[in-house]
Amino acid sequence: MEDIYAKFVSQKISKTRWRPVPPGSLQTADTFAAGSWDNEENYVSLWSIGDFGNLDSDGGFEGDHQLLCDIRHHGDVMDLQFFDQERIVAASSTGCVTVFLHHPNNQTLSVSQQWTAAHYHTGPGSPSCGSAPCTGIVCSNPEIVTVGEDGRINLFRADHKEAVRTIDNADSSTLHAVTFLRTPEILTVNSIGQLKIWDFRKQGNEPSQILSLTGDRVPLHCVDRHPNQQHVVATGGQDGMLSIWDVRQGTMPVSLLKAHEAEMWEVHFHPSNPDHLFTCSEDGSLWHWDASTDVPEKSSLFNQGGRNSTFLSHSISNQASVHQSLISSWLSTDPAKDRIEITSLLPSRTLSVNSLDVLGPCLVCGTDSEAIYVTRQLFS
C-alpha cells in the first residue's frame, strides 16, 4: 500500500465518512465528511481529497485534502452518515439529530432538518430536560434510525417532523451502535455486550432475538453487517476483541479474534470486497484484516513494517458441516488453522483513532491527534 497522508486540522475528529459515489458510476471516492468532538466549538465539515502528494515545507508529503465547507455543530459529533449525495445526518451528544444539506454551487452546508430532542433521559433523578447523547445512526433512504444513551430507538423519515416509530425502553443500558440487517430489521449493540435484533413490522418493545457473549458483559461499541451476507455481523468493544457472528445460528459469536489493546471504536467490512475488514482503536492503531482465500499460504503473522507478532485467536464453533462455497470467508475461517493477515496502516501509534471509512481503493480515518489520514491505494 502506498503512503497514507496526514492532514492536521486543529480539532479532534470523532467521525469520518466518504460521500457515496452515484450507483453505476466509475468514479472513485473524492469527498468525505468529518465531525469533531471535545473542542470548544465543534463542526461538521466536507473535504475534497484532490490530487495527492504535495511536498510540504519540510520536504515530506502532505495530504492535499481541501476543506470545501463546514458548519457549527452543537455538541460533540457522536455519529455521522450520508443520507444521499447531498445530505449528511449527524448525531449529537445533546440528543439532537440534524440533517445537513450541501450546496455545491456555493460550497456551503445548511441545516435542512432537525429533531432536537430525539434522545433524553426521563424518570426519577433525571432533570426535566435531561438530554441523552444520540450514539448511533444508520440511514436507508428515506429512513433514519437513531439509538442513544437513553436506550431509545427512533425511526425517522426524511421530511417528516415527528418520529415514525419510537421504541422507548428498547434497552435498560446504553445503546452504542446500530445497523440494518434487512430494511425492516435493525441490529443494535449495547453496553452490556448484547446484540439485539428488532423488526419494525412487529408492534411492542421486545427484540426478536438477543445474542451475547456469555459471562463477560463487555460493552460493545461498534457493529457492521457483511455487505452481501446479511446474517454475518462483526462487532468490537471495550476489550479490543473482534467478534464475528452468524445471527442465523446460536446466540454466541462464531469466532473471537484477539485484536487491539484498548477499545475498538469502529469496524467496517469493505463494501465491495468484504473479505477485507478494517478496525480502529483507542490504542492509536488502524488495522486491515485480510481473510481472502485466494492468497496462497498466508502467514498468520502480524505485519507491521517488517516486525511480526503472533496472532492469537480461537474459534468457538466449527462450521465445517456447512457447504463451504456458500459461506463467508469470515465464517469458514477457523483462524487457528486458516490464516488471516493483519496489516497496520498507520506509520506510528498516535492518540485514539476514533473513526474510519472505506470505499473502493480509498480509506479515511480521524484521530484525537487532530489529524485526518487518507490513502487512495488500499490494495496496491
Side-chain angles (χ1 to χ4, degrees):
M1 192 191 84
E2 75 152 29
D3 290 340
I4 189 160
Y5 293 107
K7 177 95 170 181
F8 291 92
V9 295
S10 305
Q11 43 187 344
K12 291 183 182 176
I13 299 297
S14 55
K15 293 290 160 184
T16 51
R17 299 288 181 253
W18 289 113
R19 182 170 72 186
V21 294
S25 149
L26 295 175
Q27 69 193 72
T28 55
D30 58 6
T31 306
F32 65 85
S36 71
W37 83 291
D38 197 26
N39 305 292
E40 283 184 18
E41 290 185 351
N42 289 301
Y43 289 87
V44 168
S45 52
L46 211 54
W47 299 75
S48 164
I49 62 173
D51 296 321
F52 257 51
N54 289 359
L55 280 171
D56 65 20
S57 54
D58 302 329
F61 281 108
E62 189 195 27
D64 187 26
H65 348 331
Q66 298 293 333
L67 178 65
L68 296 175
C69 49
D70 60 12
I71 190 168
R72 283 273 306 275
H73 180 270
H74 186 47
D76 293 339
V77 177
M78 303 290 286
D79 202 0
L80 199 60
Q81 300 291 341
F82 273 92
F83 183 75
D84 54 23
Q85 296 284 306
E86 286 78 41
R87 287 177 286 184
I88 310 163
V89 188
S92 172
S93 56
T94 66
C96 178
V97 176
T98 308
V99 182
F100 293 104
L101 180 63
H102 176 226
H103 307 271
N105 298 341
N106 58 0
Q107 289 301 351
T108 56
L109 284 165
S110 65
V111 174
S112 132
Q113 196 168 1
Q114 203 162 46
W115 296 280
T116 48
H119 293 275
Y120 54 91
H121 291 296
T122 55
S126 61
S128 54
C129 56
S131 63
C134 176
T135 52
I137 44 185
V138 64
C139 303
S140 176
N141 196 339
E143 298 183 326
I144 300 165
V145 177
T146 73
V147 297
E149 204 175 270
D150 52 0
R152 183 176 279 107
I153 299 173
N154 292 306
L155 173 61
F156 295 110
R157 275 212 184 94
D159 309 324
H160 281 232
K161 280 200 171 71
E162 303 298 325
V164 177
R165 173 92 188 269
T166 294
I167 303 177
D168 265 328
N169 301 310
D171 212 301
S172 55
S173 56
T174 296
L175 291 169
H176 278 145
V178 59
T179 187
F180 274 107
L181 284 181
R182 300 172 212 55
T183 303
E185 282 188 321
I186 58 163
L187 185 145
T188 59
V189 295
N190 69 14
S191 59
I192 55 170
Q194 294 174 319
L195 288 73
K196 296 184 180 179
I197 298 174
W198 308 83
D199 189 336
F200 282 128
R201 293 166 298 193
K202 294 181 179 169
Q203 294 306 309
N205 289 5
E206 295 304 314
S208 54
Q209 195 178 340
I210 300 178
L211 302 92
S212 69
L213 267 171
T214 48
D216 291 348
R217 298 208 154 201
V218 175
L220 292 172
H221 290 300
C222 53
V223 60
D224 195 31
R225 188 206 76 199
H226 191 288
N228 309 335
Q229 293 172 307
Q230 284 133 336
H231 52 90
V232 179
V233 170
T235 62
Q238 189 169 302
D239 57 3
M241 300 280 277
L242 172 65
S243 302
I244 307 292
W245 309 71
D246 181 348
V247 300
R248 299 170 308 179
Q249 39 184 293
T251 57
M252 290 174 54
V254 172
S255 48
L256 272 176
L257 310 175
K258 188 172 170 57
H260 300 279
E261 292 161 21
E263 291 92 343
M264 185 189 294
W265 292 130
E266 288 195 7
V267 56
H268 291 281
F269 287 103
H270 191 283
S272 53
N273 203 346
D275 285 349
H276 298 263
L277 180 139
F278 299 82
T279 59
C280 63
S281 169
E282 176 72 26
D283 68 10
S285 60
L286 170 69
W287 285 4
H288 171 190
W289 304 66
D290 180 359
S292 54
T293 47
D294 53 356
V295 181
E297 290 302 305
K298 265 197 306 225
S299 78
S300 62
L301 295 173
F302 172 65
N303 302 329
Q304 185 172 27
R307 294 200 310 277
N308 294 323
S309 63
T310 52
F311 169 53
L312 305 168
S313 69
H314 67 276
S315 183
I316 291 178
S317 61
N318 181 7
Q319 299 287 323
S321 57
V322 189
H323 194 291
Q324 290 298 320
S325 66
L326 298 176
I327 221 170
S328 155
S329 57
W330 295 102
L331 296 186
S332 60
T333 298
D334 176 350
K337 298 195 203 80
D338 298 318
R339 304 307 190 190
I340 293 180
E341 191 167 42
I342 307 174
T343 309
S344 177
L345 297 183
L346 291 185
S348 58
R349 284 287 173 96
T350 159
L351 295 176
S352 177
V353 182
N354 298 320
S355 182
L356 75 100
D357 199 22
V358 279
L359 186 60
C362 303
L363 176 143
V364 60
C365 76
T367 68
D368 272 356
S369 50
E370 304 191 342
I372 297 173
Y373 293 85
V374 173
T375 180
R376 46 204 238 174
Q377 293 196 313
L378 260 188
F379 300 114
S380 63

